[in-house]
Amino acid sequence: GAVVSQHPSWVICKSGTSVKIECRSLDFQATTMFWYRQFPKQSLMLMATSNEGSKATYEQGVEKDKFLINHASLTLSTLTVTSAHPEDSSFYICSARPGQGGIGNQPQHFGDGTRLSIL
Amino acid sequence: GQNIDQPTEMTATEGAIVQINCTYQTSGFNGLFWYQQHAGEAPTFLSYNVLDGLEEKGRFSSFLSRSKGYSYLLLKELQMKDSASYLCAVSTYSSASKIIFGSGTRLSIRP
């Protein structure tokens, strides 16, 4: 089945550091990938839609300059949390869907998530 | 806008049946998903409904009524490992068919 790989699984770093998270679709091409954030005991909140070869689409309230997204190939999207602070500590999860956007019955396949802790 | 509602918490007994409800209001509805998420892990896909009716898959079944904006996930023969959060999510006809998640229902199974 479709597999999405996310790296790293855990990051602990000092405040002010920039952190890059990678999301790869291993056995399918994904023109679109999605980045979510999840705080403890809360649901997944969509941060942005990553579009291959073009700018990401950010959800309302998500800072574009804070969360930089690059989708340079059909199998890789990256999320960079710039100048991270303790309030950015969260569980970040990426997902991708096989096939083109608009195919409703293709489930999103999730990476294993990245637990980010900013000291 | 979009709104997805589901109960925050539920408790059920091992071996029993539990139904988790989800109501939604959205424009451009393009299907409803159920995901299971264990604590500290990523969600895993359970089911998809786009037409009205019941979809059965082993111990899990999912129902959809588009006219009522209503779905439920039915879990039979509950096992302790079914203790998890269950996320209702709606797909929309946007340029990327993004999926929006409800707040999730934390299900606890007691012996």
Side-chain angles (χ1 to χ4, degrees):
Chain A
V3 177
V4 174
S5 173
Q6 187 172 341
H7 177 81
S9 301
W10 288 83
V11 179
I12 301 174
C13 58
K14 294 180 179 179
S15 183
T17 305
S18 291
V19 179
K20 179 185 282 188
I21 304 170
E22 293 188 349
C23 181
R24 294 180 185 272
S25 56
L26 296 185
D27 54 359
F28 64 95
Q29 293 183 336
T31 55
T32 304
M33 292 185 177
F34 303 90
W35 288 96
Y36 294 85
R37 179 168 57 183
Q38 186 176 36
F39 292 106
K41 296 188 177 182
Q42 296 186 23
S43 189
L44 285 81
M45 296 302 297
L46 180 64
M47 299 175 64
T49 302
S50 174
N51 305 300
E52 187 269 334
S54 65
K55 292 182 179 180
T57 305
Y58 290 82
E59 295 299 304
Q60 190 172 6
V62 178
E63 300 176 57
K64 301 178 182 181
D65 296 333
K66 176 73 173 178
F67 301 99
L68 301 179
I69 292 173
N70 183 282
H71 194 151
S73 78
L74 288 171
T75 60
L76 173 64
S77 174
T78 62
L79 169 69
T80 301
V81 184
T82 62
S83 186
H85 290 92
E87 58 266 29
D88 298 322
S89 298
S90 187
F91 190 46
Y92 292 85
I93 311 176
C94 72
S95 70
R97 300 174 79 168
Q100 300 294 322
I103 301 176
N105 64 348
Q106 293 288 339
Q108 286 196 18
H109 296 274
F110 287 87
D112 288 336
T114 298
R115 194 161 301 282
L116 176 62
S117 295
I118 308 299
L119 305 177
Chain B
Q2 293 152 339
N3 191 39
I4 302 172
D5 290 314
Q6 52 183 129
T8 304
E9 295 186 24
M10 297 184 70
T11 303
T13 304
E14 188 177 17
I17 299 173
V18 70
Q19 178 174 312
I20 303 174
N21 296 323
C22 172
T23 58
Y24 64 89
Q25 291 129 18
T26 187
S27 56
F29 177 80
N30 189 27
L32 186 143
F33 298 87
W34 284 96
Y35 284 83
Q36 180 191 61
Q37 186 179 27
H38 285 99
E41 299 181 9
T44 55
F45 170 74
L46 291 178
S47 69
Y48 170 79
N49 295 72
V50 68
L51 300 176
D52 288 353
L54 187 69
E55 294 283 341
E56 297 185 77
K57 190 182 294 185
R59 293 191 298 116
F60 294 0
S61 303
S62 57
F63 171 84
L64 176 68
S65 170
R66 295 184 66 160
S67 62
K68 295 181 179 179
Y70 167 70
S71 173
Y72 68 72
L73 178 69
L74 191 71
L75 293 77
K76 302 177 184 177
E77 301 171 14
L78 287 170
Q79 302 174 10
M80 297 303 292
K81 67 179 183 179
D82 296 330
S83 293
S85 287
Y86 291 86
L87 308 176
C88 174
V90 174
S91 178
T92 62
Y93 280 112
S94 67
S95 59
S97 287
K98 60 186 178 184
I99 293 179
I100 303 299
F101 285 83
S103 56
T105 298
R106 287 192 299 277
L107 177 64
S108 299
I109 309 300
R110 54 174 179 249

